[in-house]
Amino acid sequence: MKKILVLVVVAMMTAINVNAQSDDLKNEISISYGAGSVSMIGDGIGNSLGNGFFDSILGYKWTNDKQFGSIGVEYFRHLNNPRLAVGGIVTFSRYGEDVEKDNQKIGERTRCYISLMPSVKYYWVNGRNFGFYSKVAAGAMLTTSKSKNLTANTSSNDSKIFFTGQISAIGLEAGSPNFRAFLEGGYGEQGIMLAGVRVKF
């Protein structure tokens, strides 16, 4: 996965015209990684409540949590107002766990989350080498769940669509006019904290 991300970043950098003037940079593409997404927090709370129930009633335990935080890809188009940009965000995250009884693994479950969210971003500061912004996004999330019962050798699949979003109250970016690193703090499907790189062209 890390190699894929590196290749994507390299492709993004080579696709832009490094000699473009900052006034002409109307488009931007970003890739990010975030921790503490809504789906991860929800699964964590659900498992904490579920563990108490299973342990005391049925003797089951959810163990070996495997979390893959939120990968986000964004596209924004700056309007005639250089402070305002509109676009969209696609995210992917995954959560897995095992089920044990009497210290023996008897099952496993994996959940994947894919979201598509239209978004608006406003730059409080939009300089040549630095930006300070806020972002709001809202859309739909597809959740797929695959469970396997190793004892009965059976499996099940389920999928649902939920409403989701992202509010990044604080966004900071710095670098050249064409290529910048950024850091955001907020709440939603991209995470409480996320960081990444973006190109402007």
Side-chain angles (χ1 to χ4, degrees):
M1 181 60 69
K2 291 182 179 179
K3 292 182 180 179
I4 294 175
L5 294 178
V6 171
L7 291 175
V8 170
V9 171
V10 171
M12 289 166 55
M13 293 177 64
T14 57
I16 64 174
N17 180 1
V18 295
N19 296 318
Q21 298 299 315
S22 60
D23 292 341
D24 298 329
L25 306 179
K26 299 291 187 181
N27 305 287
E28 62 179 63
I29 298 176
S30 309
I31 185 167
S32 65
Y33 180 82
S37 67
V38 170
S39 54
M40 296 294 104
I41 292 174
D43 264 331
I45 293 174
N47 286 345
S48 296
L49 296 175
N51 282 343
F53 174 77
F54 285 126
D55 287 347
S56 61
I57 304 299
L58 302 175
Y60 294 158
K61 293 182 180 180
W62 298 99
T63 63
N64 194 24
D65 293 352
K66 300 176 288 290
Q67 296 188 20
F68 184 80
S70 182
I71 290 289
V73 177
E74 308 177 10
Y75 169 78
F76 280 94
R77 171 76 177 179
H78 288 258
L79 305 179
N80 292 332
N81 180 350
R83 294 182 181 270
L84 186 64
V86 296
I89 305 169
V90 177
T91 68
F92 171 82
S93 57
R94 185 175 60 199
Y95 186 90
E97 59 200 345
D98 296 335
V99 184
E100 292 185 0
K101 186 174 184 179
D102 300 327
N103 295 322
Q104 295 293 325
K105 178 180 175 181
I106 63 170
E108 56 189 24
R109 180 180 69 173
T110 302
R111 288 182 177 176
C112 293
Y113 309 87
I114 302 172
S115 65
L116 177 61
M117 303 177 288
S119 182
V120 177
K121 179 161 60 172
Y122 184 81
Y123 278 83
W124 305 101
V125 177
N126 191 12
R128 181 174 176 82
N129 301 105
F130 175 80
F132 170 48
Y133 60 89
S134 298
K135 180 179 73 182
V136 176
M141 178 176 65
L142 172 66
T143 301
T144 62
S145 179
K146 182 176 181 180
S147 301
K148 183 181 294 185
N149 187 322
L150 301 178
T151 303
N153 196 25
T154 59
S155 62
S156 63
N157 296 280
D158 186 29
S159 61
K160 296 179 181 179
I161 295 178
F162 299 95
F163 174 81
T164 192
Q166 174 73 26
I167 298 176
S168 292
I170 299 175
L172 301 172
E173 63 178 29
S176 72
N178 298 97
F179 184 77
R180 298 185 181 184
F182 66 92
L183 179 68
E184 293 181 19
Y187 180 77
E189 196 53 40
Q190 284 188 287
I192 295 174
M193 292 294 297
L194 60 136
V197 292
R198 66 172 45 106
V199 292
K200 298 187 176 187
F201 57 96

